[in-house]
Amino acid sequence: MPAAPVPPAQSGAADGAPHPGFEPVLPGREASWTYRGQITPANRLIRVDMDIVESGTDARGPYAVADASLWGDDMCV
């Protein structure tokens, strides 16, 4: 199993930022979320798998860009 990347907030990338926080979309970047099903109360396990594909620092501070998938039990939706 490959090692999981360390999220930027835990890696120290936000150290020194006066008010670090999470913004779901970087300004000037397009975001989309599509899925082929739904999550219902019958699902016992819900998870999001995320691969960080880019990280860096810009004028606003540190950032990360990721590809993600939503799972309900053992089905990718």
Side-chain angles (χ1 to χ4, degrees):
M1 180 165 147
V6 176
Q10 294 177 2
S11 71
D15 289 354
H19 302 289
F22 174 77
E23 294 182 40
V25 179
L26 283 170
R29 295 276 187 128
E30 183 177 327
S32 67
W33 186 265
T34 57
Y35 52 92
R36 302 172 292 154
Q38 63 184 14
I39 300 295
T40 70
N43 292 106
R44 296 182 54 128
L45 177 66
I46 300 167
R47 76 175 196 263
V48 174
D49 289 346
M50 183 178 292
D51 293 316
I52 296 176
V53 296
E54 178 186 338
S55 64
T57 303
D58 63 12
R60 296 171 49 98
Y63 69 89
V65 177
D67 292 331
S69 56
L70 176 65
W71 293 74
D73 295 326
D74 293 325
M75 183 175 15
C76 182
V77 297

